[in-house]
């Protein structure tokens, strides 16, 4: 267990990182506002699982490998961008199909819990910068008096758990906002188009990041 002052500093930094705007928060806020708390929570749970996977990868040295071999990071980034673009195009196609239906109840794409969870997981996991961040951030709070791997694992779990708690609060807040303001029919009708544009934007951001 890290010393209390190190642990306090780490948890404080983790909380600040969790509330900072980014692609994960965009997904959670949009899905929570349009589909409810459970959808946002499952997106956050996928991000949590991605954090645990990244922690394991850092503990076993993949972060250092990606720094030494940029080609590995490029491959991961390309796969992630293609996946997000595919999701975006599918959402836009569903949105266009809804526009052609002349009724007041648009057909919203039904998503299983696994589909929602995987969207959060893939969005986070397929971003090499997230893994590189874990590789650079976690070791700053380790000490030389204890074995490195257990410290990395503990800190990664704490960071991911902190993010999950914050994301759950965001999910609840945005779902209540969506309920209070009673999304107008026009917004509901265009929600998949908005999500599709968001995914395409995330794909473009990931593909062009250096």
């Amino acid at each position: 267990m890290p010393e209390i002052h190190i642990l306090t500093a780490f948890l404080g930094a983790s909380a600040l990182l969790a509330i900072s705007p980014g692609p994960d928060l965009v997904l959670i806020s949009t899905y929570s506002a349009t589909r409810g708390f459970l959808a946002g929570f499952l997106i956050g749970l996928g991000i949590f699982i991605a954090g645990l996977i990244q922690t394991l990868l850092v503990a076993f040295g993949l972060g250092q490998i990606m720094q030494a071999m940029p080609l590995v990071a490029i491959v991961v980034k390309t796969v992630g961008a293609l996946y997000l673009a595919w999701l975006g195009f599918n959402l836009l196609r569903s949105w266009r199909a809804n526009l052609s239906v002349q009724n007041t109840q648009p057909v919203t794409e039904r998503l299983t819990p696994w589909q929602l969870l995987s969207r959060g997981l893939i969005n986070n996991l397929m971003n090499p910068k997230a893994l590189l961040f874990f590789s650079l951030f976690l070791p700053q709070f380790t000490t030389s008096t204890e074995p490195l791997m257990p410290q990395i694992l503990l800190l990664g779990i704490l960071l991911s758990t902190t993010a999950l708690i914050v994301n759950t609060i965001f999910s609840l807040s945005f779902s209540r906002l969506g309920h209070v303001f009673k999304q107008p029919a026009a917004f509901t009708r265009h929600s998949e188009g908005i999500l599709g544009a968001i995914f395409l934007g995330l794909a473009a951001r990931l593909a062009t990041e250096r």
Side-chain angles (χ1 to χ4, degrees):
M1 177 67 68
E3 296 179 11
I4 187 63
H5 66 281
I6 295 177
L7 185 60
T8 301
F10 176 78
L11 291 176
S14 298
L16 289 174
L17 289 168
I19 64 175
S20 62
D24 292 339
L25 181 56
V26 169
L27 284 187
I28 289 170
S29 60
T30 306
Y31 273 91
S32 298
T34 58
R35 293 174 179 265
F37 167 74
L38 183 59
F41 174 76
L42 288 169
I43 294 285
L45 189 59
I47 295 166
F48 170 75
I49 295 172
L52 297 183
I53 293 172
Q54 288 160 346
T55 298
L56 289 172
L57 294 176
V58 170
F60 288 99
L62 184 60
Q64 286 74 17
I65 293 175
M66 292 179 69
Q67 287 178 290
M69 300 176 63
L71 181 61
V72 176
I74 292 173
V75 170
V76 173
K77 181 171 71 170
T78 301
V79 171
L82 289 173
Y83 174 77
L84 292 174
W86 176 75
L87 286 178
F89 280 121
N90 280 343
L91 285 165
L92 288 176
R93 186 173 62 181
S94 177
W95 168 65
R96 289 194 63 181
N98 271 332
L99 290 182
S100 65
V101 177
Q102 300 299 317
N103 59 36
T104 58
Q105 293 296 327
V107 179
T108 304
E109 180 190 13
R110 292 184 179 275
L111 298 174
T112 66
W114 166 247
Q115 287 175 313
L116 287 165
L117 187 147
S118 65
R119 290 190 177 185
L121 188 150
I122 297 296
N123 178 62
N124 190 275
L125 197 59
M126 290 290 100
N127 184 353
K129 280 198 167 183
L131 179 57
L132 292 175
F133 169 78
F134 269 65
S135 299
L136 297 172
F137 180 71
L138 297 181
Q140 295 183 43
F141 296 91
T142 61
T143 64
S144 57
T145 58
E146 300 289 340
L148 181 61
M149 184 178 293
Q151 293 183 77
I152 293 291
L153 292 174
L154 175 60
L155 292 172
I157 291 171
L158 289 174
L159 174 59
S160 300
T161 302
T162 301
L164 177 62
I165 293 170
V166 171
N167 288 337
T168 299
I169 294 171
F170 276 131
S171 298
L172 182 61
S173 301
F174 281 106
S175 67
R176 289 194 172 183
L177 282 174
H179 179 71
V180 167
F181 290 105
K182 302 287 186 187
Q183 303 141 12
F187 179 80
T188 303
R189 193 173 194 80
H190 296 293
S191 62
E192 288 189 331
I194 295 169
L195 283 170
I198 287 172
F199 273 112
L200 288 178
L202 291 174
R205 177 181 180 274
L206 182 56
T208 56
E209 270 188 336
R210 295 184 175 274

